[in-house]
Short mmCIF file of all heavy atoms in Angstrom, two decimals:
data_model
loop_
_atom_site.label_atom_id
_atom_site.label_comp_id
_atom_site.label_asym_id
_atom_site.label_seq_id
_atom_site.Cartn_x
_atom_site.Cartn_y
_atom_site.Cartn_z
N ALA A 1095 139.85 62.82 176.19
CA ALA A 1095 138.66 61.97 176.17
C ALA A 1095 139.05 60.61 175.59
O ALA A 1095 138.87 60.36 174.40
CB ALA A 1095 137.55 62.62 175.35
N PRO A 1096 139.61 59.72 176.42
CA PRO A 1096 140.16 58.47 175.89
C PRO A 1096 139.17 57.61 175.11
O PRO A 1096 139.56 56.97 174.12
CB PRO A 1096 140.65 57.75 177.16
CG PRO A 1096 140.95 58.85 178.12
CD PRO A 1096 139.91 59.90 177.86
N LEU A 1097 137.89 57.57 175.53
CA LEU A 1097 136.94 56.73 174.79
C LEU A 1097 136.67 57.30 173.40
O LEU A 1097 136.62 56.56 172.41
CB LEU A 1097 135.63 56.62 175.59
CG LEU A 1097 134.61 55.63 175.02
CD1 LEU A 1097 135.17 54.22 174.98
CD2 LEU A 1097 133.32 55.66 175.86
N ALA A 1098 136.50 58.62 173.32
CA ALA A 1098 136.33 59.25 172.01
C ALA A 1098 137.59 59.10 171.18
O ALA A 1098 137.53 58.92 169.96
CB ALA A 1098 135.98 60.72 172.18
N ARG A 1099 138.75 59.16 171.84
CA ARG A 1099 140.02 58.95 171.14
C ARG A 1099 140.07 57.55 170.55
O ARG A 1099 140.52 57.35 169.41
CB ARG A 1099 141.18 59.18 172.11
CG ARG A 1099 142.56 58.87 171.53
CD ARG A 1099 143.64 59.25 172.55
NE ARG A 1099 144.95 58.77 172.16
CZ ARG A 1099 145.71 59.35 171.24
NH1 ARG A 1099 145.27 60.42 170.62
NH2 ARG A 1099 146.90 58.87 170.94
N LEU A 1100 139.60 56.58 171.30
CA LEU A 1100 139.56 55.21 170.80
C LEU A 1100 138.66 55.11 169.56
O LEU A 1100 138.98 54.42 168.60
CB LEU A 1100 139.06 54.26 171.89
CG LEU A 1100 138.88 52.79 171.47
CD1 LEU A 1100 140.19 52.19 170.98
CD2 LEU A 1100 138.32 51.97 172.64
N GLY A 1101 137.54 55.84 169.59
CA GLY A 1101 136.66 55.85 168.42
C GLY A 1101 137.36 56.43 167.20
O GLY A 1101 137.23 55.92 166.09
N PHE A 1102 138.10 57.52 167.40
CA PHE A 1102 138.85 58.13 166.30
C PHE A 1102 139.91 57.17 165.77
O PHE A 1102 140.04 56.97 164.55
CB PHE A 1102 139.50 59.43 166.80
CG PHE A 1102 140.53 59.99 165.86
CD1 PHE A 1102 140.16 60.55 164.64
CD2 PHE A 1102 141.89 59.97 166.19
CE1 PHE A 1102 141.11 61.07 163.77
CE2 PHE A 1102 142.84 60.49 165.33
CZ PHE A 1102 142.45 61.04 164.11
N LEU A 1103 140.66 56.57 166.67
CA LEU A 1103 141.73 55.65 166.25
C LEU A 1103 141.17 54.43 165.53
O LEU A 1103 141.76 53.94 164.56
CB LEU A 1103 142.55 55.21 167.47
CG LEU A 1103 143.36 56.31 168.15
CD1 LEU A 1103 144.00 55.78 169.42
CD2 LEU A 1103 144.43 56.87 167.21
N THR A 1104 140.02 53.93 165.99
CA THR A 1104 139.43 52.76 165.34
C THR A 1104 138.97 53.11 163.93
O THR A 1104 139.16 52.32 162.99
CB THR A 1104 138.26 52.22 166.18
OG1 THR A 1104 138.72 51.90 167.49
CG2 THR A 1104 137.66 50.98 165.54
N GLY A 1105 138.36 54.29 163.76
CA GLY A 1105 137.98 54.71 162.41
C GLY A 1105 139.19 54.83 161.50
O GLY A 1105 139.16 54.42 160.34
N ALA A 1106 140.28 55.40 162.04
CA ALA A 1106 141.51 55.50 161.26
C ALA A 1106 142.06 54.12 160.92
O ALA A 1106 142.55 53.88 159.81
CB ALA A 1106 142.55 56.31 162.03
N GLU A 1107 141.93 53.19 161.88
CA GLU A 1107 142.43 51.83 161.64
C GLU A 1107 141.65 51.13 160.54
O GLU A 1107 142.23 50.42 159.71
CB GLU A 1107 142.36 51.02 162.94
CG GLU A 1107 143.04 49.67 162.86
CD GLU A 1107 143.08 48.94 164.20
OE1 GLU A 1107 142.70 49.54 165.22
OE2 GLU A 1107 143.47 47.75 164.20
N VAL A 1108 140.33 51.33 160.50
CA VAL A 1108 139.52 50.75 159.42
C VAL A 1108 140.01 51.26 158.07
O VAL A 1108 140.22 50.49 157.12
CB VAL A 1108 138.02 51.09 159.61
CG1 VAL A 1108 137.22 50.68 158.37
CG2 VAL A 1108 137.47 50.39 160.84
N LEU A 1109 140.23 52.56 157.98
CA LEU A 1109 140.69 53.16 156.72
C LEU A 1109 142.07 52.65 156.34
O LEU A 1109 142.31 52.23 155.20
CB LEU A 1109 140.72 54.69 156.87
CG LEU A 1109 141.38 55.46 155.72
CD1 LEU A 1109 140.52 55.39 154.47
CD2 LEU A 1109 141.63 56.90 156.13
N LEU A 1110 143.00 52.68 157.28
CA LEU A 1110 144.38 52.29 156.99
C LEU A 1110 144.48 50.80 156.66
O LEU A 1110 145.31 50.40 155.81
CB LEU A 1110 145.28 52.63 158.18
CG LEU A 1110 145.41 54.14 158.46
CD1 LEU A 1110 146.01 54.37 159.84
CD2 LEU A 1110 146.27 54.79 157.38
N ALA A 1111 143.66 49.98 157.29
CA ALA A 1111 143.66 48.55 156.97
C ALA A 1111 143.21 48.32 155.53
O ALA A 1111 143.75 47.45 154.82
CB ALA A 1111 142.75 47.80 157.94
N ARG A 1112 142.21 49.11 155.07
CA ARG A 1112 141.77 48.98 153.68
C ARG A 1112 142.90 49.35 152.73
O ARG A 1112 143.12 48.69 151.71
CB ARG A 1112 140.57 49.90 153.42
CG ARG A 1112 139.30 49.56 154.16
CD ARG A 1112 138.80 48.17 153.87
NE ARG A 1112 138.84 47.88 152.45
CZ ARG A 1112 139.16 46.69 151.94
NH1 ARG A 1112 139.49 45.69 152.74
NH2 ARG A 1112 139.16 46.50 150.64
N LEU A 1113 143.63 50.40 153.06
CA LEU A 1113 144.73 50.83 152.21
C LEU A 1113 145.82 49.77 152.12
O LEU A 1113 146.30 49.45 151.03
CB LEU A 1113 145.33 52.13 152.75
CG LEU A 1113 144.55 53.41 152.48
CD1 LEU A 1113 145.09 54.56 153.32
CD2 LEU A 1113 144.63 53.77 151.00
N THR A 1114 146.21 49.22 153.24
CA THR A 1114 147.29 48.22 153.23
C THR A 1114 146.84 46.93 152.53
O THR A 1114 147.63 46.33 151.81
CB THR A 1114 147.76 47.92 154.66
OG1 THR A 1114 146.64 47.50 155.46
CG2 THR A 1114 148.37 49.15 155.29
N GLU A 1115 145.59 46.55 152.73
CA GLU A 1115 145.10 45.35 152.04
C GLU A 1115 145.09 45.53 150.54
O GLU A 1115 145.26 44.58 149.78
CB GLU A 1115 143.69 45.01 152.54
CG GLU A 1115 143.64 44.42 153.94
CD GLU A 1115 142.21 44.12 154.37
OE1 GLU A 1115 141.37 43.86 153.49
OE2 GLU A 1115 141.93 44.17 155.58
N ASP A 1116 144.88 46.76 150.08
CA ASP A 1116 144.85 47.03 148.65
C ASP A 1116 146.23 47.32 148.07
O ASP A 1116 146.36 47.74 146.93
CB ASP A 1116 143.93 48.22 148.36
CG ASP A 1116 142.46 47.81 148.34
OD1 ASP A 1116 142.18 46.61 148.33
OD2 ASP A 1116 141.60 48.72 148.34
N GLY A 1117 147.26 47.10 148.88
CA GLY A 1117 148.62 47.24 148.37
C GLY A 1117 149.20 48.63 148.46
O GLY A 1117 150.16 48.95 147.76
N HIS A 1118 148.66 49.47 149.35
CA HIS A 1118 149.14 50.85 149.47
C HIS A 1118 149.81 51.10 150.82
O HIS A 1118 149.75 52.21 151.34
CB HIS A 1118 147.99 51.83 149.26
CG HIS A 1118 147.34 51.72 147.93
ND1 HIS A 1118 147.96 52.10 146.77
CD2 HIS A 1118 146.13 51.25 147.56
CE1 HIS A 1118 147.16 51.89 145.73
NE2 HIS A 1118 146.03 51.37 146.19
N ALA A 1119 150.45 50.09 151.36
CA ALA A 1119 151.09 50.24 152.67
C ALA A 1119 152.18 51.30 152.65
O ALA A 1119 152.48 51.92 153.67
CB ALA A 1119 151.66 48.91 153.14
N ASP A 1120 152.80 51.53 151.49
CA ASP A 1120 153.90 52.49 151.41
C ASP A 1120 153.44 53.90 151.05
O ASP A 1120 154.25 54.81 150.89
CB ASP A 1120 154.93 52.02 150.37
CG ASP A 1120 155.62 50.72 150.80
OD1 ASP A 1120 155.76 50.52 152.02
OD2 ASP A 1120 155.99 49.93 149.92
N THR A 1121 152.13 54.10 150.92
CA THR A 1121 151.60 55.42 150.61
C THR A 1121 151.84 56.39 151.77
O THR A 1121 151.60 56.04 152.93
CB THR A 1121 150.10 55.34 150.31
OG1 THR A 1121 149.90 54.52 149.15
CG2 THR A 1121 149.51 56.72 150.05
#
Side-chain angles (χ1 to χ4, degrees):
L1097 187 60
R1099 175 175 170 78
L1100 176 60
F1102 168 70
L1103 294 174
T1104 303
E1107 188 174 353
V1108 171
L1109 171 70
L1110 294 166
R1112 294 301 315 143
L1113 283 168
T1114 56
E1115 286 179 28
D1116 279 348
H1118 299 291
D1120 294 330
T1121 297

